[in-house]
Amino acid sequence: MNAKRQAAPYTVPGMDPGEAWKVVDLLRARLHALNDLHLTLKHVHWNVVGPHFIAVHEMLDPQVEAVREMADTTAERIAALGGVPVGTPGAIVAERTWDDYDVGRADAVAHLGALDLVYTGLIEDHRGAMKATGDLDPVTQDMLIGQLARLEQFQWFVRAHLESGGGRLSTAGAHTLQEAAGRASREPDTA
């Protein structure tokens, strides 16, 4: 039987099983995104170079740990709702709606430029799930709100490296990870 459709014969008390499945489907996508982010952050951690290496290298470790915890909490919520959390690489790749992270060994600022776009996409999708769960399941919505607070803080940490004194992001207008990495690597605009 497909793990996506496997379910326990119950959900949390007081919740309609059909609504629980809607929430489980939303959370499956969030679980994949969080697992992907964890792996992406480790990839950057291993491949960052340049004069800002140690600052970025050490900044990422707490993010990795927090994102792993978010994924664990999300998987446990899926299970509590009667769903089956699937965290296999094949499921992530088969069901994701985003491209793979394609920046290899690169300058710290280039990686941060690409990570800014990664965080933007993930946060936008998390916000969509948060809004969608409001009427369906406030408990799940509360979990997503807490995760959003951390994810937005992590993006702020990343953006602090990309922002000029005038408040302009070096990655503004970038649409691909490579484009964001390239824009971030240019000399900062001091305006």
Side-chain angles (χ1 to χ4, degrees), residues 3 6 16 20 31 43 45 77 100 110 123 139 169 176 182 190:
Q6 283 181 340
D16 174 77
L31 178 60
H43 171 82
H45 177 85
R77 185 65 185 158
D100 203 16
I123 289 167
V139 174
L169 284 177
T176 68
T190 58

Side-chain angles (χ1 to χ4, degrees), residues 9-29:
Y10 62 85
T11 189
V12 294
M15 190 165 187
D16 174 77
E19 290 182 351
W21 271 112
K22 290 178 187 174
V23 174
V24 166
D25 284 341
L26 288 168
L27 290 179
R28 282 179 60 83

Side-chain angles (χ1 to χ4, degrees), residues 3-188:
K4 186 173 183 178
R5 284 288 140 220
Q6 283 181 340
Y10 62 85
T11 189
V12 294
M15 190 165 187
D16 174 77
E19 290 182 351
W21 271 112
K22 290 178 187 174
V23 174
V24 166
D25 284 341
L26 288 168
L27 290 179
R28 282 179 60 83
R30 298 299 78 227
L31 178 60
H32 294 329
L34 291 167
N35 279 328
D36 186 84
L37 178 60
H38 162 258
L39 294 170
T40 297
L41 290 168
K42 285 309 289 185
H43 171 82
V44 173
H45 177 85
W46 297 322
N47 287 290
V48 67
V49 296
H52 303 290
F53 160 78
I54 199 64
V56 172
H57 188 78
E58 290 182 354
M59 176 183 76
L60 294 178
D61 276 333
Q63 292 184 27
V64 168
E65 292 306 312
V67 170
R68 287 297 315 134
E69 179 62 32
M70 289 176 206
D72 190 54
T73 301
T74 301
E76 290 171 354
R77 185 65 185 158
I78 290 169
L81 290 168
V84 176
V86 180
T88 61
I92 295 170
V93 172
E95 297 178 27
R96 70 181 177 192
T97 58
W98 57 90
D99 293 329
D100 203 16
Y101 189 86
D102 63 354
V103 180
R105 184 179 175 88
D107 179 85
V109 177
H111 273 297
L112 292 174
L115 273 178
D116 181 39
L117 250 60
V118 169
Y119 271 117
T120 294
L122 187 125
I123 289 167
E124 287 173 348
D125 290 346
H126 237 65
R127 281 187 166 275
M130 182 255 321
K131 289 176 185 173
T133 57
D135 290 333
L136 293 172
D137 183 18
V139 174
T140 296
Q141 184 185 51
D142 185 59
M143 178 192 77
L144 293 168
I145 289 169
Q147 291 176 358
L148 275 164
R150 297 294 306 277
L151 294 167
E152 290 172 0
Q153 180 185 44
F154 297 156
Q155 186 178 35
W156 173 58
F157 292 166
V158 167
R159 285 184 165 180
H161 294 268
L162 305 171
E163 186 179 357
S164 71
R168 183 181 179 284
L169 284 177
S170 60
T171 54
H175 299 290
T176 68
L177 298 178
Q178 288 291 330
E179 185 181 8
R183 287 182 183 200
S185 293
R186 291 189 205 130
E187 285 297 310

